[in-house]
Amino acid sequence: MNLRTLIALLLLGASLPVLSQQRGFSVTGGISTFEAGELKQYQDMLLEAAPVDVKGFTYFPPHTNIRLRLFQRHREKWKFTAGYSYTSTGAHGNYTDQSGYMDINQYLTSYQLGAAAYYRLFYWNFIEAMGYANLAITYTDNEVNRVVSTNTYYYEENTLQMRAFHPVAEAGVELLYHLNNYSFGLEGGYQYDVGGTFKVRDNTRFNSDPVEPQSDLKSNISGFRLGVKFVLLFKSDIL
Amino acid sequence: MKKATVVLLAMMMLGSCYYSSNETHFVQVEPGPEPQISVSVNLDTLPPITITDSLEVAYEITLDGGDLYQVDFFLDGYYIFKSDSLANSFYINPTYIQQNGEYDLDMKVYYSTNSGTLANKFDAEAFEEVKNWLVTINREEEQ
């Protein structure tokens, strides 16, 4: 059984309907980090290929991560969720002089659909901690954009778009304080990018040749996740 | 209603978190020496220029420390010839103009500035050297 088949079976198992005491919706907003090693090297290559001294400012820094999930509790100690996640980051380089400017940017956006299983670690006085494991299918889009604009009304824009479909796995901990119909707290963990490779999707030329990567780049959006979580219960029983 | 509002607000959050960065790195570029240009045209040695049949125009450009972009010729404001060569020639035909008379012949030479700026690197700025002559069109009417 290969890895993709295993992931598909686990996702299917997590989506089966189960008896539940609680059902609800959660929103988690926070920060994600990204390894993105090959993309960072590619950004350096783009800056070096420019005819002027472009300075790199950001290389895929920690940035916003949003998660929306529907969940069902199973007995007291188990919870199963299915949901959607969005995150973005990028890289930025700029050169400006008295005649104009050049921007070299990458915009990385990642969309996930996945399922997770939670297990209670402890519960005390309406405070609950659960460990979780999450599997997701991810679509990651990377747009490479170079813009040149001068005071002499010269404008050039070159865009290269790459995309990757790949699975990711995540493990972490959720810590919530429960009220009657709401809960809030923190959720954090580490996401591992199982292996995504970008394929060039679109390449528009304007006035100059694009700078395509010499080989397919790995997405490698592995990194840590930490966010504030808000839970809304559709159907609640006292735990 | 409250639950639907929370869900709607959560969905709206999705569109507000796109990465962007606007930092700039400004460099004050010291311009290099301006290119030295010399333009010679055969018309400079002619007496008052009259075109009755056709007239050859030959030019030669010497450019030191820069690149030639383009040479344009205009007759009475109308574009008649273009070249990117340092030396070239062409013929002016009196049929270019409908009526006999005096008209301006203009030559515009565009070449690099050697300023070292971003616009210079992308050939987006140029110096212009202009020469002009007064020519008389006197077409011989067919009998």
Side-chain angles (χ1 to χ4, degrees):
Chain A
M1 180 183 292
N2 59 31
L3 182 60
R4 287 189 179 183
T5 305
L6 175 63
I7 290 170
L9 286 174
L10 287 171
L11 286 172
L12 183 62
S15 67
L16 290 175
V18 295
L19 293 176
S20 172
Q21 295 173 336
Q22 283 188 328
R23 198 176 294 147
F25 171 79
S26 70
V27 178
T28 306
I31 298 292
S32 296
T33 66
F34 307 87
E35 293 187 10
E38 292 191 7
L39 291 179
K40 292 176 182 177
Q41 292 175 4
Y42 179 52
Q43 180 72 3
D44 280 335
M45 187 192 84
L46 292 172
L47 300 186
E48 289 170 10
V52 291
D53 183 23
V54 181
K55 180 179 177 181
F57 287 96
T58 55
Y59 288 81
F60 304 94
H63 205 252
T64 318
N65 176 264
I66 303 292
R67 293 184 168 186
L68 309 176
R69 286 195 170 129
L70 295 171
F71 70 88
Q72 287 184 341
R73 292 296 288 251
H74 179 57
R75 300 197 180 97
E76 284 187 5
K77 294 194 173 182
W78 286 96
K79 180 169 68 176
F80 299 98
T81 75
Y84 167 82
S85 175
Y86 165 91
T87 189
S88 77
T89 185
H92 173 65
N94 173 267
Y95 169 91
T96 302
D97 66 24
Q98 58 266 40
S99 74
Y101 71 90
M102 171 187 278
D103 278 337
I104 297 178
N105 297 316
Q106 291 189 62
Y107 302 100
L108 185 76
T109 309
S110 187
Y111 310 87
Q112 293 182 6
L113 286 176
Y118 288 69
Y119 183 78
R120 177 187 286 182
L121 300 176
F122 77 81
Y123 181 87
W124 176 78
N125 202 21
F126 299 106
I127 297 174
E128 181 181 29
M130 302 187 86
Y132 71 89
N134 180 70
L135 290 173
I137 295 295
T138 304
Y139 168 72
T140 301
D141 186 89
N142 188 33
E143 179 181 302
V144 183
N145 180 262
R146 188 180 86 165
V147 174
V148 176
S149 178
T150 72
N151 301 334
T152 55
Y153 304 104
Y154 176 86
Y155 182 83
E156 170 191 310
E157 182 169 0
N158 184 272
T159 301
L160 181 81
Q161 288 191 303
M162 301 180 276
R163 66 178 177 184
F165 286 96
H166 52 107
V168 296
E170 181 177 340
V173 174
E174 168 195 85
L175 181 66
L176 292 179
Y177 181 79
H178 296 289
L179 299 173
N180 192 19
N181 292 321
Y182 306 92
S183 304
F184 60 91
L186 299 172
E187 181 178 277
Y190 183 81
Q191 176 175 281
Y192 177 70
D193 187 343
V194 177
T197 303
F198 283 111
K199 301 294 181 185
V200 175
R201 180 164 68 92
D202 185 36
N203 192 350
T204 59
R205 292 175 175 80
F206 192 73
N207 276 338
S208 66
D209 292 332
V211 184
E212 291 191 25
Q214 294 179 352
S215 61
D216 291 337
L217 300 174
K218 288 187 170 47
S219 55
N220 195 7
I221 58 171
S222 301
F224 291 95
R225 306 282 185 270
L226 178 65
V228 176
K229 189 167 187 173
F230 178 78
V231 178
L232 179 66
L233 299 177
F234 296 152
K235 175 186 175 184
S236 66
D237 291 319
I238 298 173
L239 289 175
Chain B
M1 181 62 186
K2 287 184 181 178
K3 295 176 182 178
T5 303
V6 170
V7 172
L8 185 61
L9 285 173
M11 302 295 286
M12 289 170 63
M13 289 170 66
L14 290 175
S16 63
C17 306
Y18 189 69
Y19 167 84
S20 66
S21 178
N22 295 320
E23 294 171 275
T24 59
H25 167 58
F26 183 82
V27 176
Q28 182 67 41
V29 178
E30 294 297 324
E34 289 186 12
Q36 300 300 310
I37 189 169
S38 171
V39 180
S40 64
V41 185
N42 63 334
L43 300 181
D44 292 333
T45 61
L46 293 178
I49 304 166
T50 302
I51 303 174
T52 56
D53 184 5
S54 65
L55 175 69
E56 182 186 20
V57 179
Y59 71 86
E60 186 172 346
I61 298 170
T62 304
L63 186 57
D64 183 28
D67 297 319
L68 177 70
Y69 292 152
Q70 189 162 298
V71 180
D72 293 332
F73 281 86
F74 301 87
L75 181 61
D76 193 32
Y78 292 95
Y79 181 75
I80 61 172
F81 182 76
K82 177 179 71 174
S83 174
D84 59 1
S85 300
L86 289 170
N88 211 333
S89 64
F90 67 100
Y91 285 86
I92 297 178
N93 195 308
T95 57
Y96 291 169
I97 301 291
Q98 289 192 346
Q99 288 186 342
N100 292 338
E102 291 184 337
Y103 299 92
D104 290 321
L105 176 65
D106 299 314
M107 176 187 187
K108 296 184 180 180
V109 181
Y110 302 98
Y111 57 101
S112 61
T113 62
N114 200 33
S115 65
T117 62
L118 181 71
N120 177 220
K121 300 282 186 183
F122 280 84
D123 298 338
E125 62 180 18
F127 285 133
E128 181 186 64
E129 179 78 8
V130 179
K131 293 176 75 74
N132 47 52
W133 305 267
L134 187 66
V135 300
T136 301
I137 302 295
N138 187 14
R139 291 188 301 182
E140 295 177 348
E141 298 294 335
E142 291 183 5
Q143 296 183 356

